[in-house]
Amino acid sequence: MTTRPEVIKQSELLNQLVLDRNSLEELGRVEVLWMHPPKHQVLGFVCKSGFLGAKKTAFKLAQLSTLGTNGVLTQGQPEETDADKVRKLESVIGHEIWSDAGNKIGRITDYLFNLKTGAITQYLFISSGWGGIAGDVYQLPPTQILSVGSKRVLVSETTAHKCALYREGIKQRLTKAGDVLKEDYVQATQEWRSLTQRAQSATGGAKERLQTLAEQAKERAHFLSQQAKERAQTFSEQIKAESQTIAQQAKEKSQTLAEQLKERTQTLGKQVEEGIQTLTVQAEEIFDPDVKHASSSSPPAPDTTPSDSTIPSNEAKAVDSDYWGDRSDEPDQSAQSDQPIDDDDEPWI
């Protein structure tokens, strides 16, 4: 899409990179615009290329296809020219502006033109303030120029006082900046005073607040101390009551244990005494069998057996041996041979 702004400054085209639209080959950079001052119209521009820009080629304004921020695109073949012809091109850049009253108004530094038609819409000139270097930039319509010379242009005195401001100069900017700084200083001073008053008020309020907070803290500390004291007293009383209860319970438990131990000791004493008596009786029965017979059996029946004097000695031995369990399985042949024994007459245990 072709970008062609309606009106631009001639200085915006200077030193722009020039490319061929079809081949995108680099053709050089814009050196100068060539114009026709009497008609106040731009006809084209000259491009420089090669070593030190020695090669010059001229393009008509209609050949400019696209103008971008980084360069321009052209179409068609340019015409070759040389440095002498370029130097002879007419231009009003650098011309002084004089009024018909003989006053120097300023100097032309740039101009605005229609990129499509090439018509110059406004000349831009710097006022004569500060030696024509740092003055304000004003607009001069081409219709207000009375004549154009090789170094100067002439305008009416009335036009000189009616030129519109295009851009403020350094002097005016500094003046405005000084006014702004002065206003800022006044405003800053007022704000500082206001802040000082607020700080003083805040300081007084802060002092009162600190005093109030200190009193509140003091009351709070006293209340907490009193609470802690009451809690400590209550806790001490609780500990004392619990200690008494625990001591009473321990005393009762010790008495109960003592009684239980006494009863248990008596019971064990009785059991031991009974056990000793039982063991004594059993020991007597074991070591003295006659005591057992005497105590446990009824009175013996009349003895029908012969006395010991009539019983042979061998027979007495046999009886004694049978009583202690030492009787052999076979009867004693010697006893049988001497005298028969009647089993029904002997007690058998």
Side-chain angles (χ1 to χ4, degrees):
M1 179 177 178
T2 303
T3 303
R4 300 190 65 171
E6 187 175 354
V7 177
I8 64 170
K9 289 192 300 183
Q10 68 89 28
S11 58
E12 293 176 354
L13 269 178
L14 296 179
N15 206 37
Q16 287 277 8
L17 181 65
V18 180
L19 301 175
D20 183 84
R21 182 179 178 84
N22 296 325
S23 63
L24 294 180
E25 292 293 333
E26 184 176 335
L27 303 178
R29 291 185 177 273
V30 177
E31 182 179 10
V32 65
L33 275 69
W34 51 288
M35 59 178 295
H36 187 46
K39 291 187 177 181
H40 307 291
Q41 186 176 9
V42 176
L43 303 178
F45 61 91
V46 177
C47 179
K48 61 180 180 180
S49 61
F51 181 70
L52 297 178
K55 184 178 180 181
K56 313 290 183 180
T57 53
F59 292 87
K60 294 180 180 180
L61 190 60
Q63 289 181 277
L64 196 153
S65 174
T66 304
L67 173 62
T69 57
N70 299 320
V72 296
L73 300 178
T74 61
Q75 54 188 2
Q77 293 298 323
E79 296 182 5
E80 293 188 5
T81 184
D82 53 33
D84 292 336
K85 292 181 179 180
V86 172
R87 281 194 295 268
K88 291 178 182 180
L89 291 175
E90 294 182 294
S91 177
V92 295
I93 300 297
H95 280 35
E96 295 178 356
I97 302 175
W98 286 73
S99 69
D100 54 3
N103 297 320
K104 184 179 178 180
I105 308 303
R107 181 171 55 86
I108 296 176
T109 57
D110 208 342
Y111 55 83
L112 302 174
F113 72 99
N114 188 297
L115 190 59
K116 184 177 182 181
T117 63
I120 296 174
T121 59
Q122 296 287 342
Y123 288 102
L124 303 178
F125 70 93
I126 297 176
S127 65
S128 299
W130 287 16
I133 298 175
D136 300 329
V137 179
Y138 293 91
Q139 301 181 40
L140 176 63
T143 57
Q144 300 298 321
I145 296 177
L146 301 177
S147 63
V148 179
S150 60
K151 294 182 179 180
R152 297 173 184 85
V153 296
L154 184 66
V155 298
S156 65
E157 186 69 22
T158 304
T159 301
H161 293 286
K162 292 182 178 180
C163 292
L165 182 66
Y166 179 76
R167 188 183 65 224
E168 295 176 349
I170 296 176
K171 182 179 180 181
Q172 191 168 355
R173 290 181 184 179
L174 290 177
T175 302
K176 287 189 175 181
D179 295 338
V180 172
L181 289 175
K182 186 177 180 180
E183 292 177 358
D184 291 342
Y185 175 76
V186 173
Q187 185 176 0
T189 304
Q190 293 176 354
E191 290 180 356
W192 174 255
R193 291 176 180 175
S194 177
L195 289 174
T196 303
Q197 294 176 357
R198 291 181 183 178
Q200 292 176 354
S201 301
T203 303
K207 187 176 180 180
E208 294 178 357
R209 289 181 183 178
L210 288 175
Q211 187 175 0
T212 304
L213 290 174
E215 292 176 357
Q216 292 178 354
K218 186 177 180 181
E219 293 177 358
R220 183 66 177 171
H222 180 71
F223 175 74
L224 292 176
S225 176
Q226 189 67 24
Q227 254 187 352
K229 186 177 180 181
E230 293 176 357
R231 288 181 181 178
Q233 186 175 0
T234 304
F235 186 67
S236 176
E237 292 176 356
Q238 290 178 353
I239 291 176
K240 184 177 180 180
E242 289 180 359
S243 300
Q244 292 178 355
T245 302
I246 292 171
Q248 186 67 25
Q249 291 178 353
K251 184 177 180 181
E252 294 175 356
K253 286 183 179 181
S254 61
Q255 291 177 355
T256 303
L257 289 175
E259 293 176 357
Q260 291 178 354
L261 181 61
K262 183 177 180 181
E263 293 176 359
R264 183 65 177 171
T265 302
Q266 292 176 356
T267 304
L268 288 175
K270 291 180 180 180
Q271 291 179 354
V272 169
E273 184 177 356
E274 292 176 357
I276 291 174
Q277 293 177 358
T278 304
L279 289 175
T280 302
V281 172
Q282 290 178 354
E284 290 178 353
E285 291 177 355
I286 291 172
F287 292 102
D288 193 358
D290 294 337
V291 175
K292 181 179 180 180
H293 287 289
S295 60
S296 60
S297 61
S298 57
D303 189 7
T304 57
T305 58
S307 64
D308 293 339
S309 59
T310 59
I311 297 174
S313 60
N314 292 331
E315 194 171 308
K317 289 180 180 182
V319 172
D320 185 66
S321 176
D322 289 340
Y323 181 81
W324 291 103
D326 293 330
R327 185 177 55 88
S328 62
D329 293 334
E330 295 179 358
D332 190 356
Q333 297 293 331
S334 62
Q336 291 179 0
S337 59
D338 292 336
Q339 183 179 350
I341 297 175
D342 189 1
D343 291 338
D344 293 334
D345 293 337
E346 281 289 327
W348 184 258
I349 297 176

